[in-house]
């Protein structure tokens, strides 16, 4: 009997020690769990303390104590993993990926390549960088050709052995031949990491107004891949008044590029120079400070909407897309694929790209409304798995955690306002394409620009009424 008591005593002390260690682990987990409001973390801690005290008072059986310790360990591990998953989403990347493809005629011999045509932006910088990272290219005679039709014809008539094209503008070349993919072959792909400048203008997002540039990239794959920006929306957020102003700028808006000596081009083309170019160009255009950016690629876009269980988006028109997705005028419940079709459509709706911009606003509003429901905020660690593959942002992690914590705690009821940049179409030479041609651009109306400036300032400076 004495041996049994000694064994029980030993098991008792082991289980008690495990319980103490598990509480220390829980304290650590609650400390790093910054996306959960402090009051909720305290409640969870008090519940754990109460259950532990109850078990210790009611029984001295080691099994109960060991079971409770194991349960606390498991809960603590889950909390820490949840925080790590969210941290990966908000991790700011200090680089962008620029991809180039080397293409030849389908019947060409790869080892006979000497003369190469280059189609893309920043030729001199790119040529130096490619030669540094990929020495085999330094042996080639690389010529910059800014006309996509000319470079394609030179490949076909064998004036060039191959063409080296920035992936984000490859569609310009493909446009001139429906059979491009059958007549050519990609023999190599080159990727480079381009460092980013720090352009964040931090504020306390839980109480100070701020502006976020939302960019929807017309690319699939890595969320830091440089590409044209199809969606361009400024989200002006006032956390005090719980108001968000969404300003849509059409992709073809004719703007002076801040990164290219104020040379005029389409807004969508700023994306191929990097997100800093997009942000600085819009800052100059509206005379504002943009605090942060969020880039969203189309691959992850579908997954996010599906993980949210679909969203209810308002359509301004009844229309059908080439992907056979149909929409009624008014509210439509859409899954990821339908949401993507809705966001991309501009051919089968009135006013083309202008209406597409308004639909972008409606979709952003629908996603934010669904994301900030209490149910989805509690599922944030699960949703973050999809966000990390789709979202590229420079919002500091501490600011995002503070914002999420405030949302969970207060369950804010956000009010949305929308504005669109008005203007008219014209044909102009653009900086990033051949000056042999004129391209469709959207000339912004000065009165509309001023209205947007005034509205942004009004939302930013608005205070909560005392009434």
């Amino acid at each position: 009997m004495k041996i049994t008591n000694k064994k029980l005593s030993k098991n008792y002390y082991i289980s008690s020690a495990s319980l103490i260690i598990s509480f220390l682990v829980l304290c650590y987990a609650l400390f790093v769990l910054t996306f959960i409001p402090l009051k909720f973390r305290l409640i969870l801690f008090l519940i754990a303390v109460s259950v532990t005290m109850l078990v210790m008072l009611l029984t001295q059986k080691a099994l109960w104590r060991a079971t409770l310790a194991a349960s606390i360990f498991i809960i603590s591990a889950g909390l820490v993993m949840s925080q790590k998953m969210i941290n990966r989403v908000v991790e700011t990347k200090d680089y962008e990926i620029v991809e180039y493809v080397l293409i030849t005629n389908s019947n060409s011999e790869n080892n006979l390549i000497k003369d190469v045509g280059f189609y893309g932006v920043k030729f001199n910088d790119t040529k130096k960088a490619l030669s540094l990272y990929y020495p085999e290219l330094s042996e080639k005679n690389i010529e910059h050709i800014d006309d996509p039709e000319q470079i394609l014809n030179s490949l076909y008539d064998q004036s060039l052995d191959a063409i080296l094209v920035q992936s984000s503008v490859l569609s310009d070349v493909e446009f001139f031949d429906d059979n491009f993919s059958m007549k050519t072959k990609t023999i190599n792909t080159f990727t480079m990491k381009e460092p980013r400048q720090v352009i964040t203008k931090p504020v306390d997002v839980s109480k100070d107004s701020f502006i976020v540039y939302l960019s929807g990239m017309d690319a699939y794959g890595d969320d830091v891949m440089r590409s044209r920006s199809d969606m361009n929306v400024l989200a002006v957020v006032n956390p005090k008044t719980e108001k968000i102003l969404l300003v849509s700028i059409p992709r073809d808006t004719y703007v002076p590029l801040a990164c290219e000596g104020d040379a005029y081009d389409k807004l969508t083309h700023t994306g191929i120079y990097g997100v800093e170019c997009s942000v600085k160009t819009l800052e100059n255009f509206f005379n504002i400070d943009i605090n942060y950016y969020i880039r969203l690629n189309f691959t992850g876009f579908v997954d996010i909407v599906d993980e949210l269980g679909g969203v209810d988006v308002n359509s301004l028109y009844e229309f059908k897309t080439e992907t056979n997705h149909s929409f009624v005028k008014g509210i439509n419940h859409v899954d990821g694929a339908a949401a993507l079709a809705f966001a991309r459509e501009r051919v089968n709706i009135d006013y083309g790209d202008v209406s597409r911009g308004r639909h972008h606003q409606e979709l952003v509003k629908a996603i934010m409304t669904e994301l900030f429901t209490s149910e989805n905020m509690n599922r944030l660690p699960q949703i973050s798995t999809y966000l990390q593959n789709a979202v590229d942002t420079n919002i500091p992690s501490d600011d995002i955690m503070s914002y999420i914590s405030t949302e969970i705690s207060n369950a804010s009821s956000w009010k949305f306002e929308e504005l669109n940049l008005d203007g008219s179409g014209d044909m102009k030479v653009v900086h990033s394409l051949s000056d042999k041609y004129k391209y469709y651009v959207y000339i912004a109306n000065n009165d509309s620009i001023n209205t947007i400036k005034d509205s942004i300032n009004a939302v930013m400076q608005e205070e909560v009424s005392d009434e």
Side-chain angles (χ1 to χ4, degrees), residues 328-340:
V328 300
K329 184 177 181 179
I331 300 299
N332 297 260
H333 185 77
V334 296
D335 60 11
L340 179 57

Side-chain angles (χ1 to χ4, degrees), residues 29-237:
L30 293 175
F31 176 75
V32 301
L33 198 69
T34 54
F35 78 93
I36 297 293
L38 178 60
K39 64 181 180 181
F40 291 153
R41 285 181 273 166
L42 289 175
I43 290 172
L44 182 58
F45 180 75
L46 291 174
I47 290 173
V49 170
S50 300
V51 171
T52 301
M53 292 181 65
L54 187 63
V55 169
M56 294 181 70
L57 288 172
L58 294 179
T59 180
Q60 292 187 350
K61 291 184 177 180
L63 177 62
W64 282 95
R65 298 182 180 220
T67 301
L68 181 59
S71 299
I72 294 174
F73 271 123
I74 292 172
I75 292 171
S76 301
L79 294 175
V80 172
M81 288 303 297
S82 297
Q83 185 65 48
K84 286 185 176 181
M85 290 169 66
I86 294 176
N87 287 344
R88 284 197 293 269
V89 176
V90 301
E91 180 182 2
T92 300
K93 300 181 179 69
D94 60 0
Y95 65 88
E96 288 179 348
I97 293 177
V98 187
E99 182 181 81
Y100 302 88
V101 288
L102 188 63
I103 299 171
T104 65
N105 288 306
S106 56
N107 58 354
S108 296
E109 296 292 337
N110 297 353
N111 59 346
L112 298 178
I113 295 175
K114 181 179 179 182
D115 297 319
V116 178
F118 175 85
Y119 182 72
V121 299
K122 291 187 173 292
F123 171 63
N124 291 329
D125 293 341
T126 300
K127 184 178 179 181
K128 291 178 182 177
L130 283 170
S131 297
L132 177 64
Y133 290 105
Y134 301 98
E136 64 269 28
L137 288 176
S138 62
E139 302 172 2
K140 315 296 183 186
N141 176 30
I142 303 179
E143 174 190 1
H144 183 208
I145 300 175
D146 62 3
D147 183 342
E149 185 177 21
Q150 178 186 342
I151 198 171
L152 180 62
N153 290 335
S154 296
L155 176 66
Y156 284 168
D157 67 19
Q158 299 183 355
S159 300
L160 295 172
D161 301 318
I163 58 175
L164 183 65
V165 184
Q166 189 172 339
S167 294
S168 57
V169 294
L170 179 59
S171 58
D172 294 351
V173 180
E174 295 173 328
F175 172 80
F176 290 97
D177 188 356
D178 293 336
N179 298 314
F180 177 83
S181 60
M182 293 189 300
K183 294 180 180 178
T184 63
K185 61 182 178 182
T186 299
I187 61 171
N188 210 340
T189 300
F190 306 95
T191 59
M192 296 191 305
K193 289 184 177 181
E194 291 286 344
R196 282 175 169 168
Q197 300 175 15
V198 177
I199 57 173
T200 309
K201 300 175 180 65
V203 296
D204 184 343
V205 296
S206 64
K207 62 180 182 181
D208 296 330
S209 297
F210 58 96
I211 301 176
V212 182
Y213 168 54
L214 306 176
S215 172
M217 312 306 291
D218 68 343
Y220 292 85
D222 201 305
D223 60 351
V224 292
M225 184 77 70
R226 277 191 184 173
S227 179
R228 293 183 174 116
S229 178
D230 263 6
M231 180 183 78
N232 300 278
V233 174
L234 295 176
V236 185
V237 183

